[in-house]
Structure formats: C-alpha cells, structure tokens
Amino acid sequence: PVVVKQEKTDEERIAEIAERFDILDEMTQGSIDGVVRGMIVTGPPGIGKSYGVEQVIEKNSLFDKLADKPVRYGTEKGAASAIGLYQLLYRYADPGSVLVLDDCDSILWDEVSLNLLKAALDSSAKRMISWNTESSALRREGVPEKFEFCGSVIFITNLKFDNIKKGKLRDHLEAILSRCHYLDLTLDTMRDKMLRIKQIVGQGMLDPFGFGPTGQAEIVGFIEDHVDTLREVSLRMVTKLADLKKMSPDRLRVIAENTCIRRK
C-alpha cells in the first residue's frame, strides 16, 4: 500500500520553525563564547535571520557598554572588498569577538576574499591571516600584513548552499561549509513564511504600534488575502503595513493595494 505522508498541522510547523530560531540563538551565543568559530545562516529574505543574531549580540554587548569596554561585535552589511574584509577580520580578531557578515555574498565570488574567509574559519589551532600585497591603506590604518585571528564569523545569506550543484563556486562553498556550522532555517514555502509572520506578530511584534488585536489581525489578514501578489511576504512587509496603518488608520487597504502589490 502507498503510504500517504500526512501534512503537519500549523501548530507543529510553527513549533519546528521556532526551534530552529532557538538553535540560531544558541549558536550565536556559542560564537560569542568562542565555541563556534564559524556559522552560516541561510533562509529567505525578511524572516528575521539578522534580527535573531543581533538580539543575542546586543544582550552580550550591554555589559561591555556599561563597563566602557571596546566593542567586540561588528556587522558588515552588503558588499565588502577583499581588503575591507581583511581590515574587518583584524578589527574583530581577539578571542570573544564576532564578525557578522550580513548579505555579503559578493565575498563568495572573489578568490582573495574567499581565501581570507577560509583562513579565518580554519580548524587548526592557530589561524594566521596575511595580506601579501603592499598596501598604503593598511599602513595608514595601522593594520599589520599578518595576524592571528581568534574570533568567530557568522555569515548570513539568502543563498542556499545545498542548491548549488556544480562549478567553481560549488568548490568554494564546499571549502567554507567544511569549516562552518550550517543552519538552514527552512522557511521555503509561502505557508512557512505566513506561519512565521503569525508567530512573530503573536509574540508582540506589533505591540508598540498600539493597534490592539483587531488592528493586528487586519494587517495579517491583508497579507493572507494578497499572498500571491505582494511584492514580498516577510516581516519587513508587516512593518511596512503597520507604518501605513499608523499613517492612515482607515485607508490601510487602499494605500497598501497601490504601494505593496505587484502590478501585472
């Protein structure tokens, strides 16, 4: 007989998603504690990958700020040149330091950047990083041409490493994957994204806006009604709709239909 795989209930799926984000928090703390040297976090845009990491880092930064200690955690968003990456690694090279590379996928396509990243994530006892070309920029900033990296790196990306099957990039990714923990948040379907939105709104995401349950339900309802035509189904879209409702409480639908929906 053919075994029909029973689909998970919304509650079961929400619990699974929540567990993965709990693991993200644990692994981020592990990076801060120096146990996790490198971690790749992947998932679709706008579902809270960066937010989860930033929350854990912010909590740990609080004591440093109160004690007036140097900041041990840094985030680089968007493109980073090879020499820029080298300087960032030097800045966060101390034990207990964490460099978060958020949406910096260009690094993976650049041979020099990739080699720097591989050296930073290496499993050997001593991780030495060097810049072999003479650079006035490094000299000006007081960055040495060689240093030991003792920090951790968190790489946040929308790129699914498992889906890249062949070519030079695949070889590069394999080298990074072998040095890192890899956490796929698995929000791959529209249903998963919708469940994630309901989960986070239910946890108080919209409370600061003061809409109450009815107003919050209106925002979630709008996303459900237009799930196939919205420019993006994400937590960012929730915030956009909340801003529109705050601006014009009675005209949310009219304004959102003209600003948040893809035109055919």
Side-chain angles (χ1 to χ4, degrees):
V2 177
V3 178
V4 179
K5 198 176 178 184
Q6 204 166 11
E7 195 173 346
K8 288 172 178 152
T9 65
D10 285 0
E11 289 73 24
E12 286 171 334
R13 191 68 193 111
I14 283 174
E16 283 180 350
I17 292 166
E19 184 177 47
R20 287 202 171 242
F21 278 87
D22 287 344
I23 290 168
L24 175 59
D25 290 351
E26 282 181 56
M27 297 288 280
T28 303
Q29 188 61 54
S31 300
I32 290 165
D33 296 339
V35 179
V36 175
R37 290 183 175 196
M39 172 168 68
I40 297 162
V41 185
T42 183
I47 48 95
K49 300 188 298 292
S50 308
Y51 179 76
V53 171
E54 282 163 10
Q55 287 293 96
V56 176
I57 282 176
E58 194 61 39
K59 194 172 77 177
N60 283 268
S61 299
L62 199 60
F63 300 108
D64 286 348
K65 285 174 184 170
L66 289 171
D68 211 21
K69 289 181 180 176
V71 177
R72 292 184 294 143
Y73 319 113
T75 301
E76 179 71 13
K77 289 180 185 278
S81 64
I83 197 163
L85 176 62
Y86 184 82
Q87 288 172 297
L88 283 166
L89 289 168
Y90 177 69
R91 198 178 306 159
Y92 300 102
D94 291 339
S97 295
V98 180
L99 172 60
V100 181
L101 297 168
D102 190 354
D103 200 21
C104 292
D105 293 354
S106 59
I107 286 169
L108 302 173
W109 276 265
D110 179 78
E111 196 90 38
V112 179
S113 297
L114 205 66
N115 286 331
L116 291 172
L117 202 54
K118 285 196 286 193
L121 299 168
D122 203 63
S123 54
S124 56
K126 223 171 189 184
R127 293 172 281 165
M128 297 303 298
I129 300 178
S130 56
W131 188 264
N132 297 322
T133 314
E134 199 282 329
S135 168
S136 56
L138 293 184
R139 216 169 43 245
R140 198 167 51 245
E141 297 291 327
V143 178
E145 290 172 4
K146 190 175 187 180
F147 64 90
E148 184 180 0
F149 184 76
C150 302
S152 297
V153 178
I154 298 175
F155 196 89
I156 301 174
T157 179
N158 304 331
L159 193 68
K160 269 195 179 291
F161 281 39
D162 295 336
N163 290 354
I164 294 160
K165 302 295 181 194
K166 57 186 177 180
K168 199 173 182 183
L169 181 60
R170 180 68 205 169
D171 296 338
H172 287 332
L173 296 186
E174 288 286 2
I176 297 294
L177 276 171
S178 72
R179 291 162 165 81
C180 278
H181 295 277
Y182 183 74
L183 179 61
D184 185 346
L185 295 170
T186 66
L187 286 112
D188 300 324
T189 66
M190 203 54 83
R191 178 192 176 217
D192 282 349
K193 290 179 190 177
M194 204 63 237
L195 290 173
R196 173 70 176 158
I197 285 168
K198 287 180 178 176
Q199 177 201 0
I200 298 302
V201 170
Q203 287 174 359
M205 177 185 178
L206 294 175
D207 288 357
F209 288 91
F211 297 146
T214 309
Q216 293 185 17
E218 185 187 3
I219 289 169
V220 173
F222 182 88
I223 295 173
E224 283 186 303
D225 292 346
H226 298 86
V227 75
D228 295 322
T229 53
L230 276 170
R231 293 187 185 281
E232 182 181 63
V233 176
S234 67
L235 296 172
R236 282 197 285 263
M237 183 57 73
V238 175
T239 305
K240 281 183 186 177
L241 293 170
D243 289 339
L244 292 179
K245 184 167 175 61
K246 191 175 182 182
M247 178 187 82
S248 190
D250 301 324
R251 283 171 52 77
L252 169 65
R253 283 189 171 264
V254 176
I255 298 171
E257 279 168 4
N258 282 277
T259 61
C260 300
I261 303 288
R262 286 194 309 270
R263 294 285 144 226
K264 290 180 180 175

